[in-house]
Amino acid sequence: MIPAQLAEHIIEVTYLIATALFILSLKWLSAPASARRGVLAGEIGMTLAILGTLLNRGIVDYKWILIALVLGAIIGVPLGLVHMTAVPQRTALSHAFGAFSVTLVGSAEFYLRSPHVTPFMMSVLSLEVILGSLTVTGSLMAAGKLQEVLPQRPITYRGQNIVNLSLLALAVGVAIVLVLHPEYRLLFPLIVILPLIFGVMMIVPIGGADMPTVISLLNSYAGLSAAAMGFVLDSKLLIIAGALDGSSGFILSVIMSKAMNRSFTNVLFGAFGQVQVAEKGVAEARPVRSATPEEAAGILAAANSVVIVPGYGMAVAQAQHKVRELFDILTKRGTDVKFGIHPVAGRMPGHMNVLLAEADIPYDRLLDLEAINPEFPQTDVVLIIGANDVTNPAARTNTTSPIYGMPILDVDHARTVMVIKRSMSPGFAGIDNELYYLDKTLMLFGDAKTFTGEMVRELGKNRNG
Ligand code: NAP
């Protein structure tokens, strides 16, 4: 048995190291080259945090903790093995579990302490329970929509925002009464039930494809509720980890909403994601220029500089390995090949980075929006592989477009643009792309993987011949 004072010291030190590792983890996760180190730092930090907590003198029986650990591992291991396209819903489920435990702990603490709860303690307890409960149902709804077990389409009705905000306001009102009168124990279930309903209602008007942004917002709510729990349990580690989680989720939602051209108030109130399907049906058949894989390979062979812009279509086609072959063959020929990565290309944050890293494309070849945009005027060929909205010049010029104001990759500034996609169908925003009708644009109709593979074969022939 470790003496009490020594155990205290060990706990303090492990928590301090865990905190430092969480901060470093976030820092390292922000760049592809250090992301793996970031994941490892986070894992070690979390293991230390758990081990430190297990030394706590307050624990009277380890039996239930062991049972919970086994159950958690049984659920957690398969969750960690899901296919990459299911990562957003997997993340939503972990938020739901985290928020559920926060809500349970908050409720237990209230009933243990009431009526002797100070106003400050009751305020943080209420914050913890309200944010925790709404995150539980919000995350379950988000996971259900993404997994398509719930209808993906947004369901809206008149006065929806007022109904939703009234529910939340009612929960806050009850919380204020409890802060003033913590002895009104019968009122407590209301600050659980009302936010649980709010969580469902908040997600109802949001379309399935917008869920990744919502999930990052729910991540933020889960983090804030954990930070509030840190105040209740007097745990500095929880306060810091929760604050990191809350703020990083919040920053990611802001970045994503900006990159997707959603106003931030929309994000905060949840009622977003009703993608306006603009001008559907009036898309007139305008002429475009198209090319075969042989012709496209010939153009690539003649180029000195090529920027590849991947998008959702590359992910769907799982074309990343063929893209790697194309990168290799062009690089060997002496062509300067870079990748232009838009922050919301694909359907989840970092989608393109993860796919290209899986195919072992060197990280220093991946340039984000701000870095690659000034390079387009000097670029011979831009090859767009299954990207659409993130390249649409309407975002710069057409004030009536639903994507007006969204920062885009300025691919139209390059000398030649080639676009691999299967048809003239629009992308996520449901709008036509002016880029396809420019004189400098060549449409390469076909599946991203097949077409890229055919170009690689042609370039191989060229080299051999
Ligand atoms: P996009 O605008 O949705 O366009 C994808 C294009 O890929 C489509 O036009 C489609 O055209 C093509 N495609 C689909 N399957 C293909 C295949 N097998 N082979 C070749 N092409 C294929 O995609 P994006 O440019 O990546 O833009 C992302 C959009 O998603 C943005 O509007 C963004 O706001 C939104 N969004 C992003 C996130 C995120 O976190 N990244 C989250 C939610 C929403 P065809 O059908 O003609 O082939």
Side-chain angles (χ1 to χ4, degrees), residues 158-172:
R158 195 185 279 273
Q160 195 161 29
N161 271 342
I162 296 173
V163 172
N164 290 357
L165 288 177
S166 307
L167 268 172
L168 193 62
L170 206 58
V172 173

Side-chain angles (χ1 to χ4, degrees), residues 208-213 256 259-262 310-314 316-318 342-352 385-391 403 406 420-429 436 445-449:
D210 266 351
M211 281 308 140
T213 321
M256 285 176 75
M260 291 171 68
N261 202 33
R262 309 273 182 216
Y312 177 63
M314 184 190 79
V316 177
Q318 285 291 298
H342 191 282
V344 292
R347 289 293 182 275
M348 58 183 161
H351 202 168
M352 297 300 118
I385 305 184
N388 189 343
D389 295 344
V390 300
T391 64
I403 61 164
M406 167 172 159
I420 305 181
K421 69 199 293 290
R422 297 161 308 175
S423 64
M424 291 301 286
S425 301
F428 172 79
Y436 305 154
F445 289 117
D447 171 73
K449 188 171 172 181

Side-chain angles (χ1 to χ4, degrees), residues 42-222:
E43 285 169 346
I44 299 173
M46 192 48 85
T47 311
L48 284 178
I50 294 172
L51 291 178
T53 307
L54 289 177
L55 288 178
N56 196 306
R57 311 281 306 166
I59 299 175
V60 282
D61 187 356
Y62 280 93
K63 188 177 71 204
W64 291 107
I65 295 178
L66 201 69
I67 293 174
L69 275 177
V70 172
L71 277 179
I74 291 173
I75 300 172
V77 171
L79 272 184
L81 298 175
V82 296
H83 201 265
M84 213 189 76
T85 45
V87 165
Q89 50 268 50
R90 190 210 65 84
T91 312
L93 279 182
S94 4
H95 293 159
F97 288 138
F100 187 51
S101 63
V102 164
T103 310
L104 286 181
V105 171
S107 307
E109 286 293 326
F110 173 78
Y111 287 109
L112 282 174
R113 296 170 187 217
S114 154
H116 308 293
V117 195
T118 61
F120 172 74
M121 197 48 76
M122 194 60 227
S123 308
V124 280
L125 237 169
S126 308
L127 187 70
E128 171 190 341
V129 170
I130 290 177
L131 282 175
S133 318
L134 70 88
T135 307
V136 173
T137 42
S139 302
L140 288 177
M141 286 285 294
K145 280 204 174 192
L146 279 173
Q147 194 58 35
E148 292 179 27
V149 285
L150 292 174
Q152 291 240 331
R153 77 197 150 79
I155 300 167
T156 51
Y157 57 87
R158 195 185 279 273
Q160 195 161 29
N161 271 342
I162 296 173
V163 172
N164 290 357
L165 288 177
S166 307
L167 268 172
L168 193 62
L170 206 58
V172 173
V174 176
I176 294 172
V177 175
L178 278 167
V179 169
L180 300 173
H181 299 282
E183 69 279 10
Y184 291 177
R185 293 162 71 109
L186 277 178
L187 283 184
F188 187 82
L190 282 179
I191 64 168
V192 177
I193 294 166
L194 289 171
L196 281 177
I197 302 172
F198 174 78
V200 175
M201 307 295 269
M202 178 176 83
I203 304 299
V204 162
I206 303 173
D210 266 351
M211 281 308 140
T213 321
V214 177
I215 288 169
S216 100
L217 195 65
L218 289 166
N219 176 16
S220 171
Y221 293 159

